[in-house]
């Protein structure tokens, strides 16, 4: 909302400030989460150009810079005195978009995207990721600090592709917004560190597994195939998602492997004693039922 200074004919913007607000927000939001409102005082010359912009002392540096950017970006109608254009000052409040908020717990995406749950190859670390969240709540781009390790870069990209937000809003409409997302990866089998991880294991009895092979194995086939999948196991031990690793070569056998995996149950992975959803690589030997 724009507030005019108390003057008979003070300077005033010649255009709606919306474009300037969103442009300056896009520029300065890349340096960190940016939200809130800032009072600015703009000095305008007789030609309608901003010659100075002041924000209140103590305003956070990035917020002040973004608000000053708005002030100098606008075109103004100059102040008038006796029908002549003269220098003057204009006061306004510059509001910036709200902060996007997560639709689902961030931890779910981190656990899904962490380096696979191979317990002989576990990683830990933290990184702050800048994400630009679009008006649809999906991440449009993300930026990582320099020196980020390759495995963490891959995991952060996976999180950015998977996480969903309630988007930021401005003037009652959704807009793109930048937000800092702290990612904390703590997967380890060492009980003396922050998190103890126990990998999922098969819960189903042998009879159920044998029955799954009988029902799922392709009719008329007698051969065997080792097929690798990436599976997601819920905290209740159910296979929620199955993805083939690599290119498809034998759809009948691949579908049989998926059928087998969906027919059995697991003991869910555990983090510090609590059941959690997990994603891991799981090979299946698809063979004739014994």
């Amino acid at each position: 909302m724009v507030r005019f200074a108390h003057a008979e004919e003070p300077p005033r913007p010649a255009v709606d400030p919306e474009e300037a607000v969103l442009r300056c927000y896009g520029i300065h939001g890349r340096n960190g989460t940016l939200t809130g409102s800032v009072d600015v005082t703009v000095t305008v010359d007789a030609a309608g150009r901003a010659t100075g912009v002041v924000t209140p002392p103590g305003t956070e540096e990035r917020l002040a810079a973004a608000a000053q950017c708005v002030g100098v970006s606008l075109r103004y109608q100059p102040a008038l005195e006796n029908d002549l254009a003269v220098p003057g000052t204009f006061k306004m409040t510059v509001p910036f978009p709200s902060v996007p908020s997560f639709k689902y717990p961030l931890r779910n995406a981190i656990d899904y995207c962490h380096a696979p749950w191979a317990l002989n190859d576990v990683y830990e670390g933290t990184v702050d990721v800048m994400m630009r969240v679009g008006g649809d709540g999906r991440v449009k781009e993300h930026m990582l600090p320099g020196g980020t390790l390759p495995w963490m870069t891959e995991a952060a990209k996976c999180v950015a592709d998977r996480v969903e937000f309630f988007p930021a809003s401005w003037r009652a409409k959704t807009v793109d917004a930048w937000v800092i997302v702290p990612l904390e990866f703590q997967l380890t089998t060492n009980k003396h560190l922050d998190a103890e991880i126990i990998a999922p294991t098969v819960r189903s009895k042998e009879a159920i597994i044998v029955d799954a092979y009988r029902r799922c194995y392709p009719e008329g086939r007698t051969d065997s195939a080792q097929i690798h999948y990436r599976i997601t196991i819920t905290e209740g031990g159910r296979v929620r998602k199955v993805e083939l690793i690599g290119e498809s070569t034998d759809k009948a056998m691949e579908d049989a492997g998926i059928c087998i995996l969906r027919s059995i149950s697991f003991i869910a992975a555990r983090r510090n004693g609590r059941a959690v959803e997990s994603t891991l690589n799981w090979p299946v030997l698809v063979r004739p039922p014994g």
Side-chain angles (χ1 to χ4, degrees):
M1 178 178 179
V2 174
R3 298 202 299 263
F4 295 95
H6 295 292
E8 187 175 342
E9 293 185 80
R12 60 186 184 275
V15 294
D16 189 289
E18 176 175 341
E19 181 178 346
V21 170
L22 296 180
R23 185 179 68 83
C24 292
Y25 177 82
I27 294 171
H28 294 275
R30 288 175 174 267
N31 299 321
T33 304
L34 185 67
T35 191
S37 299
V38 185
D39 292 330
V40 297
T41 301
V42 185
T43 302
V44 181
D45 66 14
R49 296 186 298 262
T51 58
V53 182
V54 177
T55 53
T59 303
E60 196 274 324
E61 183 177 353
R62 287 183 299 103
L63 200 56
Q68 290 166 8
C69 170
V70 175
V72 300
S73 298
L74 291 174
R75 291 185 292 109
Y76 297 88
Q77 294 180 4
L80 295 177
E81 184 175 311
N82 297 325
D83 293 328
L84 296 176
V86 295
T89 59
F90 171 76
K91 294 183 178 180
M92 65 177 174
T93 299
V94 178
F96 292 104
S98 61
V99 178
S101 58
F102 295 108
K103 276 189 177 181
Y104 311 106
L106 176 61
R107 186 77 251 168
N108 291 355
I110 293 175
D111 287 346
Y112 178 90
C113 294
H114 197 284
W117 292 66
L119 296 183
N120 61 343
D121 190 19
V122 294
Y123 302 97
E124 292 185 291
T126 60
V127 62
D128 288 339
V129 183
M130 283 297 304
M131 296 184 182
R132 180 170 66 87
V133 180
D136 60 356
R138 303 292 297 182
V139 176
K140 303 304 182 184
E141 63 177 303
H142 71 282
M143 299 186 299
L144 290 161
T148 303
L149 296 173
W151 74 263
M152 195 179 291
T153 299
E154 181 180 348
K157 180 182 183 304
C158 175
V159 172
D161 290 341
R162 188 172 179 82
V163 73
E164 293 185 59
F165 292 83
F166 294 108
S169 62
W170 193 79
R171 285 187 169 180
K173 64 181 180 182
T174 59
V175 296
D176 286 14
W178 286 93
V179 63
I180 296 177
V181 178
L183 305 183
E184 183 177 6
F185 300 100
Q186 290 185 332
L187 296 183
T188 177
T189 54
N190 189 331
K191 297 181 180 180
H192 300 291
L193 296 179
D194 290 334
E196 178 192 2
I197 295 300
I198 299 176
T201 56
V202 175
R203 181 197 299 272
S204 294
K205 302 288 187 181
E206 182 178 355
I208 294 176
I209 298 174
V210 170
D211 181 67
Y213 272 81
R214 288 174 178 161
R215 288 186 296 100
C216 298
Y217 187 79
E219 186 176 354
R221 298 283 294 261
T222 59
D223 54 326
S224 300
Q226 179 96 345
I227 304 175
H228 293 265
Y229 301 93
R230 181 177 172 88
I231 66 174
T232 297
I233 301 172
T234 68
E235 56 192 55
R238 181 179 60 84
V239 175
R240 183 175 64 80
K241 185 177 182 181
V242 183
E243 300 169 291
L244 178 69
I245 297 176
E247 295 185 0
S248 176
T249 58
D250 189 331
K251 189 173 187 307
M253 296 292 270
E254 292 158 4
D255 288 347
I258 294 173
C259 174
I260 292 167
L261 286 169
R262 292 194 178 278
S263 299
I264 61 178
S265 62
F266 291 78
I267 298 173
R270 304 187 75 80
R271 176 191 292 275
N272 288 338
R274 180 176 63 86
V276 294
E277 183 172 288
S278 61
T279 298
L280 65 158
N281 297 340
W282 195 280
V284 177
L285 178 59
V286 181
R287 55 174 175 74

